[in-house]
Amino acid sequence: MIRFRDLGPGIVIAATGLGAGDLIAASVAGAKYGMAVLWAAVVGAVLKFALNEGLARWQLATGTTLLEGWVRRLPRFWSVYFFIYLLLWSFIVAGALISATGLAVHAMVPAISVEAGGAMQSLIAAGLVLFGRYRLLEMMMKFFILLMFAVVLYCAVALQPDWGSVIGAIAVPRLPEGSVFFVLGVIGGVGGSVTLLSYGYWMRERGWSGSGQLRQVRIDLLVAYGLTGLFGIAIMVISAGVSPDVLSGSKMVLAVAEQMGATVGDIGKWCFLIGFWGAVFSSMLGVWQGVPYLFADFVHEWRNKTGDKVIDTRSVPYRAYLAFLAIPPMVLLWSGKPVWVVLAYAVAGAAFMPLLAGLLLYMNGFRNWLGPLRNRWQANLVLLAAVVLFAVLLIQKLIDVI
């Protein structure tokens, strides 16, 4: 029997991956195409489960994180590319999270500006990470995941959709005319991207190591991505039910909240706004706690300190990167995002997911590296599908930029 207290890193990765981007992408898809694209949230959750399970399997078999595997076993190009991407991704995503949390607070308390609300919450999240430990993060993420699901599922049920249509849309996938790239965006956005790599460090914090923990890890991830898929479905049901006219950016979330108020009353509006705040603040908290592990691990590896270790959250590299996430990106609240930064981030970000899927397909296939935990044909099939899907998204992104 699965006990909620036995779940850990999966809940953290689910709460971290469900951010403003997922809300907006799912809301736009639901508002534009209704129930027809609900299946995309399920497919996205399945693909992200496969990626995360492959990452965890590598760590259980080798005793090293995937990042350490890249640095030690692959040509230096791969780790240099990812390090540069990590710096750029961190800056833009941190700025977006600060802005989104500020927007969530401003929507609930108009007297607090977006800039002040975002900056305040960034510093609060940094303080919780700086003075807390992983167990505190896990407890808070369990609270946020319950909060998000309680309010979002309440909103979805309160709209009284045709549940037969909901089940049919999930069971029988179809692509309305012009929906291909909206659907691909939902699939690619569900469940996070770079934050998947943080799962390995949270596994270490929980003491999960060795092949004997594979069943526990799979259960943890199944619950996490099951919740992620349900969350995406609920958001699309809500947006399909209210059909707001605004179909872009953060205004989409506010439009959904206003329409919820008009449809089911103020309680519906406030539930959605609280759920939105819970989603973006928990994403911020997860990124602030998890991403500095990656930078600290890079520093450790490049100093040639190999062997088993736990990245110390009190170390200088970890805390320096936490400060980098929490403070410098605030400048984007006032200055906006320079065009070259946005373009570079868009291309590099779109390139990361097919790279991750491809490397898992390659690295996890070696018997002498993973032994009995190497990829089976089922894993190879799903990872190959992920490579193709994310490669298509990359090509589309390149076309958009050009």
Side-chain angles (χ1 to χ4, degrees):
M1 180 178 178
I2 300 173
R3 296 178 300 178
F4 194 58
R5 68 181 182 183
D6 293 333
L7 303 174
I11 296 297
V12 179
I13 204 72
T16 301
L18 292 171
D22 302 274
L23 279 167
I24 292 170
S27 296
V28 170
K32 195 170 180 66
Y33 299 106
M35 303 288 186
V37 294
L38 293 183
W39 59 271
V42 178
V43 173
V46 169
L47 291 181
K48 293 298 175 68
F49 168 84
L51 292 172
N52 223 149
E53 190 271 348
L55 180 156
R57 198 156 25 86
W58 168 273
Q59 184 162 321
L60 293 176
T62 66
T64 64
T65 64
L66 191 64
L67 188 151
E68 291 160 9
W70 290 350
V71 174
R72 298 179 192 181
R73 299 174 187 262
L74 297 179
R76 192 172 181 84
F77 164 79
W78 297 110
S79 55
V80 170
Y81 163 78
F82 179 71
F83 182 74
I84 294 171
Y85 167 61
L86 178 66
L87 296 176
L88 187 58
W89 179 91
S90 298
F91 190 79
I92 299 294
V93 168
L97 284 170
I98 292 170
S99 177
T101 54
L103 174 69
V105 169
H106 177 69
M108 294 187 289
V109 187
I112 301 177
S113 68
V114 172
E115 293 80 7
M120 174 181 64
Q121 289 179 96
S122 177
L123 295 176
I124 290 173
L128 289 170
V129 173
L130 187 62
F131 298 107
R133 290 292 178 267
Y134 170 75
R135 281 295 186 178
L136 174 63
L137 173 75
E138 190 177 292
M139 289 173 56
M140 293 186 67
M141 289 306 213
K142 287 180 176 180
F143 165 77
F144 279 117
I145 207 80
L146 290 173
L147 171 68
M148 285 188 285
F149 275 89
V151 297
V152 170
L153 291 178
Y154 164 77
C155 291
V157 172
L159 289 171
Q160 298 180 346
D162 180 350
W163 292 109
S165 298
V166 171
I167 295 171
I170 296 171
V172 184
R174 61 189 181 92
L175 282 172
E177 184 177 354
S179 67
V180 173
F181 287 105
F182 279 94
V183 168
L184 290 177
V186 172
I187 293 172
V190 169
S193 57
V194 174
T195 50
L196 269 66
L197 297 177
S198 299
Y199 187 79
Y201 304 93
W202 293 328
M203 283 171 58
R204 281 182 171 174
E205 294 282 5
R206 258 302 188 113
W208 293 354
S209 62
S211 59
Q213 293 288 342
L214 182 59
R215 182 176 179 274
Q216 175 67 54
V217 165
R218 284 175 171 167
I219 292 173
D220 189 53
L221 290 174
L222 277 172
V223 173
Y225 287 104
L227 293 175
T228 298
L230 285 173
F231 188 87
I233 289 169
I235 290 295
M236 283 191 276
V237 167
I238 293 168
S239 55
V242 297
S243 299
D245 297 325
V246 182
L247 293 177
S248 63
S250 56
K251 293 180 181 179
M252 178 67 189
V253 175
L254 298 180
V256 172
E258 290 298 330
Q259 291 290 345
M260 281 295 303
T263 306
V264 299
D266 283 344
I267 188 171
K269 173 184 175 180
W270 278 98
C271 278
F272 189 83
L273 288 176
I274 291 170
F276 175 57
W277 171 79
V280 293
F281 185 75
S282 61
S283 287
M284 172 183 280
L285 192 59
V287 169
W288 270 216
Q289 207 276 347
V291 173
Y293 281 121
L294 304 177
F295 179 78
D297 208 359
F298 263 120
V299 171
H300 190 284
E301 289 296 310
W302 285 351
R303 287 176 177 173
N304 296 317
K305 293 182 178 179
T306 57
D308 294 336
K309 85 279 187 181
V310 174
I311 299 300
D312 191 352
T313 57
R314 294 167 293 183
S315 68
V316 172
Y318 182 96
R319 292 188 169 187
Y321 210 73
L322 172 61
F324 171 72
L325 288 168
I327 299 173
M330 289 182 190
V331 70
L332 298 180
L333 287 171
W334 290 274
S335 65
K337 300 171 188 174
V339 173
W340 71 269
V341 173
V342 175
L343 294 180
Y345 166 72
V347 174
F352 173 72
M353 293 309 292
L355 172 66
L356 175 61
L359 288 177
L360 284 171
L361 192 62
Y362 169 74
M363 295 172 67
N364 283 14
F366 287 99
R367 179 188 292 271
N368 59 330
W369 285 1
L370 269 75
L373 296 189
R374 72 187 187 283
N375 285 348
R376 298 291 189 241
W377 68 268
Q378 298 94 331
N380 283 330
L381 188 62
V382 177
L383 288 173
L384 183 60
V387 171
V388 173
L389 167 69
F390 294 125
V392 170
L393 286 173
L394 171 60
I395 293 169
Q396 178 61 30
K397 188 68 69 174
L398 288 170
I399 292 173
D400 292 341
V401 169
I402 295 172

